[in-house]
Amino acid sequence: MSLNTCFHCGQAIPEGDLILKPIQGEQQKFCCHGCASVCEVIYEAGMQSFYQRTPDGELLSPPPPPNRDIEFYDYDEVQSQFVSELSDRREITLMSEAIHCAACVWLIEHTMAKMDGINLTAVNFTNKQIKVRWDNSVVKLSDIIKKLNSIGYDATPYDPSASEQAFRKANRDLLYRLGFAGFAMMNVMWFSIALYSGAAEDMEYRSYFHWLQFIIATVTLGYSGMPFFKGAWTSIKSKSVGMDVSISLGMLTTYAYSTWVTMHPEIVGEVYFDTLIDFMFLLLIGRYLEAISKNKAIDASRRLMDLQPKVARLIKDNEPQVVPVRTLLKGNHILVKPGDQFPVDGLVVSGQSMVNESMLSGESREITKHEGDSVSAGTINVDGTLTIEVKAILQDTKLGKIVNLVEEAQGSKAPIQCTADKIMPWFVTVTITLAVASFVYWFFNAGIEFAIMTGTAVLIITCPCAFGLATPMAIAVASGVSARHGILVKNGAVLETLNEVEHFVFDKTGTLTKGQMKVVDSKWVDGLDEQQALLEVASLESKSEHSLGVAVTESVKTQYGLTAKNWLEVSQFKAQPGKGISGELAGLPMLIGTAKWLEEQNVELPESMKAIAEEHAQLAQTAIWVAKNKQVQGVLFLEDEIRPEAKILISRLKAKGKQVTLLSGDQTVVANQVAQRLGGMQVIAEVLPEDKNQVIRDLQSQGQQVAMIGDGVNDAPALVRANVGIALGSGTDVSMDSADIVLINDNIIAVDTAVELSARTLRTVKQNIASSIAYNMIMVPLAMSGMLTPLIAAITMPLSSLVVIGNAARIRNFFSEKAMAKRSREIK
């Protein structure tokens, strides 16, 4: 490697391109003005510790040339393709291939934090993505991109196809180096065969073949070995040691000794150019297979995104025109023919068809869609032609949001991984120490040749990669494959935390029950016009978004054939969460809510009606009282059907030794009835929405790890407070945003599946760590004893990483037909 290397990026400075610039009063060498400018910016910002934080990995890339069209991204029309909401506060995901290590993450996040108008910067090292939240009234997107460019990161709005292209480019480069090493290995092998066959006995032929091997090995070392040398140089610059340091030392030691023997033919000794090229070839095979395996293991999000078509049939002037999905706007009408996948989220404007939603819900049955029904991007239109009104495109669709959350989960760290990260830096230091000790010992006991081969074997055989991959690979595979089967894990750490949860708290309505309340009975005071009373109740309830209000409104619509046009005028409407609603009709105050709330409003409830309400409560029916002008008019009774799988779920959790609690705002007698039907559990009833959070806090104060399962807006604070929040996909956006896990298929039994997946993932992580430790404990002593050659070491080292990757990939079998069928039989 050249001694003239760039102070910023570490790359060799081409002859004639040397740039000198003072940094903190000392002249430094740079390969270009871009590197000099970036370095100057980093030092001026007080971020120079970036260079010490850069760990083992590739060299830094010189900063990209500035994009002249960056201001193009400031237009709302352009940002609408990448930004979910065009308000002052915006969020975008950028991609930069220049992100290559943890130091990059540190530099980007710390630099952007000092920029006015930036609310959040989160770098995902795994996917080379940068999530930015900013105030568009303070700073423009183009300024953000320019700032990133100034510190060496060519950021552009994230495009999944571009990410895949970058991966293919990197793999192609690795494949070229691998092919070159393979070609060199075949040629050198012929020379080795000739030497072993007797040519070595003739000094002239021996020297001739040694020089030929030297030439081939030198070129191969410079080209195919460059990834290892780059990583080693970066590691040394940052005053740390990585795996590439030990590999490079082993290769250079073998090469130096073989070169010395070649240049001194009078010395009888063996050259190991063939061994050098062989293990270089094998190391590159290992890296290539590792890259392919990692990509296959974590590409669930990419496969999900591939389900969304890139073009759509836009209806313009009553004629369909094929256009890119990116160009569609909210409110456009598109045509979807039988067999097509829906390119957007939208509403059916006309037509009727069966739709296969298995890719989102996990349910194989097809669902009939009529006018007014919603459809989701990526689902399949089976047998009818539909006209769809566009509601969301690309990353704003349900599918796009799932992909985004999966990618975030794949980039997150579980607590056990943090421990592994702290141990890893010691690996290589110990390795080099053992290699030096082995060399010294065998140098005095078996000669320099055996000492070099033994020391090189020790350097090559140790593999911190397997240890480093143990946790992130398992989490990436688990979060990716679970998303394809209806369980969206938003943060990898949850997979470890869920395994430790001992108390599961369930919301009642919409979680353990179907959340589809219906009026089953009513009782009115004598002489009251029941139809008029129901019309007044429905008119007031139509202003409410509560499930009970919707149920009453829909019941009246169905019973009397009414529509929204028939509702009476309501004024002074007010909702009291957990209690009821109030308003005025024709100037008279009206109250609809719980018995307790009406009594608090000084409304006297007839004893006869209270007795009837008590009887219905024993049937797990909820009572809604109606009062007008402080006088009771009647009481409605509603019932919510319990989910058929809920009882099975509760019994399975209890069988695992978990505590189960029903948390509800409903009357205690109703909640107790539901609990009994589900096989019995602890009940905490008549809890106001704002108090659910306190219930979770109280349980945690007792030292319990708590999981909260809910679906409504009122569950959001409790979902956030819990150690693990689980929301149903049919719930509100707020509850899903607040949860750590979302059950997309709306099947409550998936809670138990998630618990089992958590246990399986943690078990896999522990197996991976154990296999990595066992590998090093067995192989390092063998190498130190001289029983393993560098060639064997080069074969076994990448195999240890492949074992970890393969074991993590086995998590995909958790959702295999055989495994799912076994769990289904256990459920039944």
Side-chain angles (χ1 to χ4, degrees):
M1 296 182 66
S2 171
L3 293 177
N4 277 336
T5 55
C6 179
F7 181 72
H8 170 69
C9 70
Q11 299 193 29
I13 302 175
E15 189 175 347
D17 290 345
L18 178 64
I19 304 294
L20 295 175
K21 194 162 191 174
I23 301 294
Q24 290 192 334
E26 186 178 345
Q27 288 288 107
Q28 301 294 351
K29 301 175 182 179
F30 298 95
C31 64
C32 63
H33 289 287
C35 279
S37 299
V38 169
C39 183
E40 193 172 33
V41 169
I42 291 173
Y43 270 84
E44 286 178 354
M47 299 287 181
Q48 57 266 35
S49 58
F50 161 72
Y51 295 107
Q52 281 71 50
R53 291 172 179 265
T54 306
D56 180 28
E58 299 177 2
L59 292 175
L60 300 177
S61 300
N67 188 338
R68 297 180 181 178
D69 299 323
I70 287 180
E71 285 76 11
F72 178 72
Y73 291 119
D74 289 337
Y75 292 101
D76 286 349
E77 293 81 2
V78 176
Q79 285 192 26
S80 63
Q81 302 175 32
F82 309 103
V83 177
S84 57
E85 187 176 346
L86 294 174
S87 59
D88 282 344
R89 293 180 178 271
R90 302 184 181 185
E91 179 179 306
I92 193 171
T93 299
L94 304 172
M95 182 176 70
S96 176
E97 287 301 320
I99 298 172
H100 73 283
C101 65
C104 296
V105 176
W106 179 88
L107 178 62
I108 293 172
E109 291 183 348
H110 281 72
T111 300
M112 300 308 293
K114 296 184 178 182
M115 194 173 182
D116 291 338
I118 300 295
N119 300 322
L120 169 73
T121 305
V123 180
N124 186 330
F125 171 47
T126 304
N127 297 321
K128 299 182 183 294
Q129 294 175 9
I130 309 167
K131 177 181 283 186
V132 181
R133 290 179 191 158
W134 80 100
D135 188 334
N136 199 56
S137 63
V138 177
V139 63
K140 300 298 181 185
L141 180 57
S142 60
D143 295 329
I144 295 173
I145 295 176
K146 286 177 182 176
K147 186 67 173 179
L148 288 168
N149 195 282
S150 72
I151 57 173
Y153 299 93
D154 53 334
T156 56
Y158 171 60
D159 184 345
S161 60
S163 178
E164 174 69 7
Q165 185 178 0
F167 166 77
R168 290 177 179 173
K169 181 181 178 183
N171 262 23
R172 187 165 57 247
D173 177 70
L174 193 59
L175 195 58
Y176 286 156
R177 296 180 190 274
L178 171 62
F180 190 90
F183 178 77
M185 181 185 69
M186 289 186 291
N187 284 276
V188 168
M189 194 61 67
W190 285 113
F191 302 139
S192 298
I193 291 173
L195 288 168
Y196 296 146
S197 299
E201 296 177 3
D202 187 301
M203 179 66 70
E204 183 179 351
Y205 282 114
R206 179 172 173 269
S207 179
Y208 175 69
F209 283 126
H210 281 182
W211 278 105
L212 286 177
Q213 288 181 318
F214 167 77
I215 293 170
I216 295 175
T218 300
V219 176
T220 306
L221 190 66
Y223 178 66
S224 296
M226 187 55 66
F228 305 106
F229 295 137
K230 283 184 176 180
W233 178 244
T234 301
S235 186
I236 292 170
K237 264 190 64 178
S238 62
K239 299 179 181 179
S240 63
V241 285
M243 185 188 69
D244 285 342
V245 172
S246 59
I247 290 175
S248 298
L249 277 175
M251 292 195 299
L252 290 174
T253 302
T254 306
Y255 176 78
Y257 175 76
S258 299
T259 301
W260 182 71
V261 171
T262 300
M263 291 182 175
H264 298 81
E266 70 279 2
I267 298 175
V268 179
E270 298 293 337
V271 296
Y272 295 94
F273 291 124
D274 54 344
T275 302
L276 170 66
I277 296 175
D278 287 352
F279 71 65
M280 214 185 313
F281 174 71
L282 292 168
L283 287 171
L284 288 170
I285 285 179
R287 288 209 170 182
Y288 181 74
L289 292 177
E290 185 178 314
I292 294 294
S293 300
K294 284 167 68 177
N295 187 62
K296 285 183 178 179
I298 66 174
D299 70 348
S301 59
R302 189 179 300 116
R303 292 199 302 272
L304 282 171
M305 205 64 197
D306 287 342
L307 294 172
Q308 188 167 346
K310 303 298 186 291
V311 296
R313 296 184 182 91
L314 173 65
I315 298 177
K316 193 172 183 179
D317 299 328
N318 295 323
E319 290 292 333
Q321 299 178 6
V322 177
V323 300
V325 172
R326 286 187 183 279
T327 63
L328 294 176
L329 301 174
K330 190 174 181 179
N332 283 160
H333 286 189
I334 63 171
L335 191 69
V336 182
K337 295 184 177 181
D340 287 352
Q341 288 180 302
F342 290 94
V344 300
D345 283 1
L347 294 177
V348 178
V349 176
S350 65
Q352 177 177 323
S353 178
M354 299 292 289
V355 174
N356 185 333
E357 296 185 334
S358 59
M359 53 77 59
L360 279 182
S361 67
E363 299 290 335
S364 58
R365 62 188 180 89
E366 295 167 352
I367 301 172
T368 304
K369 296 291 184 178
H370 306 274
E371 183 178 336
D373 289 338
S374 61
V375 294
S376 299
T379 57
I380 302 172
N381 182 25
V382 178
D383 59 3
T385 299
L386 298 175
T387 300
I388 306 297
E389 179 183 346
V390 177
K391 291 297 182 183
I393 66 171
L394 300 175
Q395 71 267 25
D396 294 328
T397 63
K398 184 183 293 186
L399 177 62
K401 291 177 180 178
I402 290 172
V403 171
N404 181 56
L405 291 171
V406 170
E407 289 174 343
E408 288 184 0
Q410 290 175 340
S412 59
K413 288 187 178 182
I416 196 171
Q417 183 181 348
C418 297
T419 303
D421 288 345
K422 292 175 182 177
I423 297 173
M424 268 195 67
W426 295 96
F427 249 84
V428 180
T429 303
V430 173
T431 297
I432 294 175
T433 303
L434 293 175
V436 171
S438 300
F439 175 83
V440 172
Y441 176 82
W442 289 112
F443 177 78
F444 290 105
N445 289 276
I448 188 170
E449 282 193 28
F450 193 80
I452 287 176
M453 289 298 100
T454 302
T456 301
V458 174
L459 289 170
I460 300 298
I461 201 74
T462 51
C463 186
C465 279
F467 194 73
L469 287 170
T471 300
M473 280 306 304
I475 287 176
V477 174
S479 58
V481 73
S482 63
R484 289 179 58 83
H485 292 85
I487 302 173
L488 181 58
V489 180
K490 294 165 63 176
N491 188 299
V494 172
L495 288 171
E496 182 176 344
T497 308
L498 183 59
N499 192 60
E500 300 171 354
V501 167
E502 53 198 358
H503 198 146
F504 287 78
V505 178
F506 290 87
D507 173 53
K508 180 178 75 71
T509 304
T511 303
L512 292 175
T513 65
K514 290 185 175 180
Q516 299 170 351
M517 302 291 289
K518 56 184 178 181
V519 178
V520 293
D521 200 359
S522 62
K523 177 65 177 177
W524 304 94
V525 297
D526 295 336
L528 189 71
D529 184 343
E530 183 177 332
Q531 182 174 348
Q532 179 62 26
L534 283 171
L535 177 60
E536 292 177 352
V537 170
S539 298
L540 187 58
E541 290 284 16
S542 67
K543 303 293 183 181
S544 172
E545 295 181 355
H546 195 280
S547 60
L548 295 178
V550 174
V552 172
T553 304
E554 292 300 318
S555 177
V556 174
K557 281 183 179 180
T558 303
Q559 185 174 351
Y560 295 105
L562 302 176
T563 66
K565 297 179 180 178
N566 302 110
W567 300 148
L568 304 175
E569 185 176 348
V570 176
S571 61
Q572 304 297 319
F573 175 82
K574 189 174 182 180
Q576 298 285 343
K579 299 178 179 180
I581 59 175
S582 61
E584 290 188 3
L585 281 84
L588 295 177
M590 192 167 184
L591 301 174
I592 303 176
T594 65
K596 183 178 179 181
W597 184 55
L598 262 66
E599 288 177 334
E600 290 175 357
Q601 304 301 313
N602 299 318
V603 176
E604 186 177 348
L605 307 182
E607 290 298 327
S608 59
M609 285 191 174
K610 290 172 69 174
I612 294 173
E614 187 68 25
E615 294 174 4
H616 281 274
Q618 296 298 326
L619 301 174
Q621 294 175 1
T622 300
I624 296 181
W625 292 80
V626 181
K628 187 176 182 181
N629 202 22
K630 297 292 184 178
Q631 297 294 318
V632 170
Q633 289 193 311
V635 58
L636 298 171
F637 300 104
L638 295 89
E639 187 177 55
D640 189 4
E641 185 179 351
I642 295 175
R643 294 177 183 270
E645 69 273 18
K647 186 174 182 179
I648 301 169
L649 170 63
I650 299 303
S651 64
R652 296 189 74 182
L653 290 176
K654 289 164 71 174
K656 287 182 170 70
K658 309 293 185 182
Q659 296 184 56
V660 185
T661 295
L662 174 63
L663 182 63
S664 175
D666 216 333
Q667 301 172 49
T668 301
V669 65
V670 174
N672 282 330
Q673 282 296 318
V674 172
Q676 288 180 18
R677 291 187 184 184
L678 293 172
M681 69 183 85
Q682 182 182 349
V683 174
I684 303 177
E686 298 186 36
V687 179
L688 296 177
E690 58 268 26
D691 294 334
K692 288 186 177 182
N693 177 49
Q694 187 59 45
V695 171
I696 301 299
R697 188 198 297 268
D698 292 342
L699 292 174
Q700 290 174 326
S701 66
Q702 299 170 19
Q704 300 183 29
Q705 295 277 333
V706 182
M708 173 70 191
I709 301 93
D711 72 322
V713 173
N714 60 344
D715 298 320
L719 290 169
V720 173
R721 169 65 58 184
N723 298 93
V724 178
I726 303 176
L728 271 66
S730 60
T732 62
D733 289 342
V734 175
S735 66
M736 287 189 282
D737 288 343
S738 304
D740 301 301
I741 298 175
V742 179
L743 308 181
I744 305 169
N745 58 15
D746 205 28
N747 187 348
I748 194 70
I749 201 69
V751 171
D752 184 65
T753 306
V755 172
E756 293 185 357
L757 176 63
S758 169
R760 171 67 180 272
T761 303
L762 198 59
R763 186 166 67 248
T764 299
V765 169
K766 291 177 179 178
Q767 289 171 350
N768 286 345
I769 292 176
S771 68
S772 176
I773 293 174
Y775 162 83
N776 284 282
M777 290 181 67
I778 294 171
M779 302 306 287
V780 172
L782 289 176
M784 292 180 68
S785 66
M787 298 176 66
L788 298 180
T789 66
L791 187 59
I792 296 175
I795 295 173
T796 56
M797 192 275 283
L799 287 178
S800 64
S801 294
L802 292 176
V803 167
V804 166
I805 294 170
N807 191 41
R810 288 175 60 240
I811 294 176
R812 289 182 291 188
N813 296 331
F814 183 83
F815 288 101
S816 66
E817 292 184 7
K818 183 177 180 181
M820 293 177 72
K822 180 181 178 182
R823 285 195 293 274
S824 296
R825 287 194 298 271
E826 292 173 354
I827 291 173
K828 293 177 182 178

